[in-house]
Amino acid sequence: MIVAIILALYGLLAALALPKVLKRASWADRAPRLGIAIWQAAGASVVASALLAAFAVAVPASVVGHGLADLFEACAALLGDEAALNSTSTRASLAVAVLIVARVGYMGAAVLLRARRERRRHAEALSLLGRHDGALDALVVDYDERLVYCLPGRKGHAVITTGALRSLAPEQVAAVLAHEQAHLRGRHHLVLAAAEALARAFPRVPLFEQGRVEVARLVELLADDVAARRHQRIHIATALVGLATGRVPAFALGAGGETALTRVRRMLHPQAPLGRRERITGRLAVTVLLAGPATLAAAPGVAAFLAHHCHSLLSL
């Protein structure tokens, strides 16, 4: 029970305090991929701590420590034991675990299916209005507004309007399309869907609300960095200025948008990348966030396992 309380308190504190800590981490702009990983790990850590807290209440540590076979036998006995199932703590913990899994699964499926449905409708419209340009490797749409975005999915592709082609120089077009290809190759829409699912599954939880915003921002920085490997930063920056006012569909990923002007400054005044020690520290943080709750939950079971087998050896 003590472990369950610690896990529950950790989940609560992490959900409330981690957003403030991570938001102040200016290093994330210098390593957006690592920043995304930490936000994802933080969200997974909170959900895992809640599930493991419920598990710790339902299954005694001594049962876990006796071995996997004994654990399965104990779970079967628990399901067949009406008195055990009717206990308040067991019923409440099982209900919480089932609710968390069902909520996350339902919202994840809802976010993915809705986005897929909207993208399919948009793709059907684009197939009638647009034409594929082999040189650009993008779909060109005759439209005056300056837009460049990508439509993710199994047959994802970049989209650019004639308005953008007229206003941007060829170097800028190539740079901004590289940004969109980075989104497609990195499957960034799945990263955004995961953050969106957690925010919708648990509304008003600061970690998930802020995580959705920060992951969306960092995904754009990451795509900028990937494009900057092959194209000059000045071309990316000037293209972003030209596309800053464009509004892309909500289910697509676009080079412009609200963060465009901030990203322009980042492109023109790049900061030094993280050093080796900083990157190792960040990766350790991801590992701790992911493995911490599981390690804490397993500790009593491991202790019980060692005590049981040590006692058996001493009895021989």
Side-chain angles (χ1 to χ4, degrees):
M1 183 63 73
I2 294 177
V3 170
I5 293 174
I6 294 174
L7 284 168
L9 288 175
Y10 162 76
L12 180 61
L13 290 174
L16 296 176
L18 274 181
K20 298 178 181 178
V21 175
L22 295 178
K23 189 68 172 63
R24 290 198 297 265
S26 58
W27 59 263
D29 289 6
R30 297 161 59 196
R33 191 187 303 276
L34 183 57
I36 293 169
I38 287 185
W39 278 102
Q40 289 179 316
S45 181
V46 169
V47 174
S49 66
L51 286 172
L52 291 171
F55 180 80
V57 172
V59 182
S62 58
V63 172
V64 179
H66 287 175
L68 191 60
D70 290 341
L71 175 60
F72 288 151
E73 291 178 4
C75 290
L78 177 63
L79 293 174
D81 188 347
E82 293 185 5
L85 282 175
N86 288 331
S87 67
T88 303
S89 61
T90 301
R91 284 189 300 172
S93 60
L94 291 176
V96 168
V98 170
L99 180 62
I100 291 173
V101 173
R103 182 70 175 169
V104 172
Y106 172 78
M107 292 310 303
V111 168
L112 288 173
L113 290 175
R114 180 181 178 182
R116 183 181 179 183
R117 183 169 58 249
E118 291 178 340
R119 286 197 300 265
R120 182 179 298 174
R121 292 175 183 171
H122 193 69
E124 291 174 354
L126 290 177
S127 65
L128 299 175
L129 301 174
R131 64 185 186 280
H132 185 266
D133 189 310
L136 296 176
D137 191 20
L139 194 69
V140 179
V141 179
D142 189 11
Y143 190 53
D144 290 335
E145 188 174 355
R146 293 172 293 183
L147 295 176
V148 182
Y149 60 94
C150 66
L151 205 60
R154 184 177 301 176
K155 298 180 180 179
H157 53 266
V159 179
I160 186 168
T161 63
T162 52
L165 285 174
R166 285 194 297 266
S167 63
L168 300 178
E171 298 83 3
Q172 297 167 352
V173 170
V176 78
L177 287 177
H179 172 103
E180 300 307 328
Q181 291 297 335
H183 281 317
L184 294 173
R185 287 194 299 269
R187 296 187 177 276
H188 292 166
H189 65 291
L190 297 180
V191 176
L192 296 175
E196 181 73 17
L198 285 178
R200 291 192 180 189
F202 308 104
R204 299 182 181 178
V205 175
L207 177 63
F208 301 140
E209 290 289 343
Q210 190 63 44
R212 172 171 54 182
V213 175
E214 282 299 301
V215 167
R217 186 182 69 86
L218 291 172
V219 158
E220 294 301 328
L221 300 189
L222 177 57
D224 287 342
D225 288 347
V226 173
R229 295 172 187 170
R230 298 178 57 188
H231 300 273
Q232 295 183 28
R233 287 177 172 267
I234 185 63
H235 294 154
I236 300 173
T238 51
L240 290 175
V241 171
L243 299 170
T245 59
R247 294 185 179 182
V248 302
F251 47 84
L253 290 87
E258 297 177 356
T259 63
L261 294 180
T262 302
R263 288 156 49 208
V264 167
R265 290 193 292 269
R266 181 175 178 269
M267 284 288 101
L268 295 177
H269 305 286
Q271 295 179 300
L274 295 184
R276 184 169 178 269
R277 184 176 299 177
E278 293 171 309
R279 289 187 176 276
I280 291 175
T281 302
R283 289 166 185 162
L284 285 175
V286 172
T287 302
V288 169
L289 285 170
L290 291 176
T295 302
L296 181 60
V302 172
F305 175 83
L306 294 175
H308 173 73
H309 285 276
C310 288
H311 178 74
S312 300
L313 290 174
L314 292 173
S315 301
L316 295 178

